[in-house]
Amino acid sequence: MTLQQEIVGNAMQMAVVNLNPGQTVYCEAGKFLFKTTNVTMETRLSGPPGSGGQQQGGGGGMGGMLRQAMGTAMQVGQRMLAGESLAFQYFTAQGGEGTVGFAGVLPGEMRALELDGTRAWFAEKDAFVAAESSVQFGIAFQGGRTGMSGGEGFVLEKFTGHGTVIIAGAGNFIDLDPADFGGRIEVDTGCVVAFEEGIQYGVQRVGGLNRQGIMNAVFGGEGLSLATLEGHGRVILQSLTIEGLANALKKAQGGDKQGPTGGLFSTHAG
């Protein structure tokens, strides 16, 4: 059953979800805004059945309880390593239709993605807002070499199953298909919001160790790496990066230390 939802607002959007009786939606802790009184709220460490390491059909008795506990521990461990919230909040309409509101944490857009079971979706960390219970949430590690050089690319959120998942990002969104641009696009690593399974994600160095490569890294504001997206499928990019927002706020507060160089010598918040 498709989740009945409406995304409202402009600079800071929110999703208003209408639940049928007995229907459940879950969100990452910290993304909930409001609900009607007939919607129950429950906080759990485990994701919906089928997510991460959780076992389906674990059976009864001590064996089933142990398998379930181990599955939950694996999920929590993955999310902790990824820097994600450790808990999910579940909302269920009781005795009639109910309404729940959710939002992201940065000024920007939201998008509802429909999963039909044939293709997974991958998203940047913290992009997940909410999903119906038939959508499984997981963590995808992109491999040490690619991830360490790509920053945001090291850990991705992964969504599988059937149903609606709502994501959020910073600034405005643009939808692209690399196949429309010769099969490959290169973007700032902080601009990638989400992409369909089938898109090949990687990270490449900006230029070589020559004069122009050093100029790009030091003065271009991109650092040493760009994300590469190849193949045929839907890609969602955002116009505002978290690093760009942090640097703008530091500059407004008189704490900008990067001067004209940007890139390699920029100072990071935190």
Side-chain angles (χ1 to χ4, degrees):
M1 181 183 296
T2 301
L3 197 65
Q4 298 179 41
Q5 52 76 33
E6 180 183 7
I7 294 176
V8 299
N10 296 303
M12 186 69 185
Q13 293 188 322
M14 62 179 175
V16 179
V17 176
N18 295 316
L19 298 175
N20 292 317
Q23 189 175 19
T24 298
V25 63
Y26 70 100
C27 75
E28 190 175 47
K31 305 294 177 69
F32 163 73
L33 291 180
F34 68 90
K35 68 180 183 67
T36 53
T37 56
N38 68 312
V39 174
T40 63
M41 179 172 65
E42 180 183 2
T43 300
R44 309 176 201 163
L45 292 178
S46 61
S51 291
Q54 186 166 340
Q55 302 292 326
Q56 297 191 48
M62 289 299 295
M65 293 175 62
L66 180 60
R67 284 190 293 270
Q68 184 176 1
M70 290 178 63
T72 298
M74 289 176 63
Q75 290 183 57
V76 172
Q78 280 190 333
R79 295 200 299 271
M80 183 171 62
L81 286 173
E84 300 280 356
S85 169
L86 298 185
F88 294 109
Q89 292 178 302
Y90 291 78
F91 302 87
T92 304
Q94 302 285 355
E97 295 183 351
T99 302
V100 191
F102 304 101
V105 295
L106 293 172
E109 287 196 43
M110 302 180 73
R111 189 67 54 85
L113 307 174
E114 298 297 334
L115 305 182
D116 62 5
T118 62
R119 274 190 172 189
W121 270 88
F122 297 89
E124 67 169 346
K125 290 194 302 178
D126 295 325
F128 172 67
V129 175
E132 55 186 312
S133 56
S134 55
V135 173
Q136 287 83 52
F137 175 97
I139 299 296
F141 295 93
Q142 279 295 309
R145 190 170 181 181
T146 296
M148 291 301 289
S149 61
E152 292 87 345
F154 181 63
V155 177
L156 296 171
E157 299 173 337
K158 182 179 181 180
F159 309 106
T160 55
H162 294 76
T164 306
V165 57
I166 301 171
I167 60 172
N172 295 120
F173 287 173
I174 183 172
D175 290 63
L176 299 175
D177 186 339
D180 296 332
F181 300 89
R184 175 186 173 102
I185 56 175
E186 300 172 350
V187 303
D188 184 295
T189 54
C191 288
V192 179
V193 179
F195 54 90
E196 284 184 297
E197 186 177 25
I199 294 291
Q200 297 179 352
Y201 176 88
V203 176
Q204 71 172 25
R205 191 173 300 276
V206 180
L209 296 178
N210 52 32
R211 180 178 179 276
Q212 186 56 56
I214 294 172
M215 290 289 287
N216 288 339
V218 176
F219 296 101
E222 304 300 332
L224 292 172
S225 302
L226 286 176
T228 62
L229 297 157
E230 300 181 73
H232 172 52
R234 189 174 164 195
V235 172
I236 301 175
L237 305 180
Q238 62 188 4
S239 63
L240 176 66
T241 68
I242 296 177
E243 181 182 1
L245 177 61
N247 285 332
L249 292 174
K250 290 181 68 177
K251 185 175 181 179
Q253 295 171 352
D256 181 41
K257 298 294 191 296
Q258 71 176 21
T261 58
L264 265 177
F265 303 125
S266 62
T267 56
H268 299 271

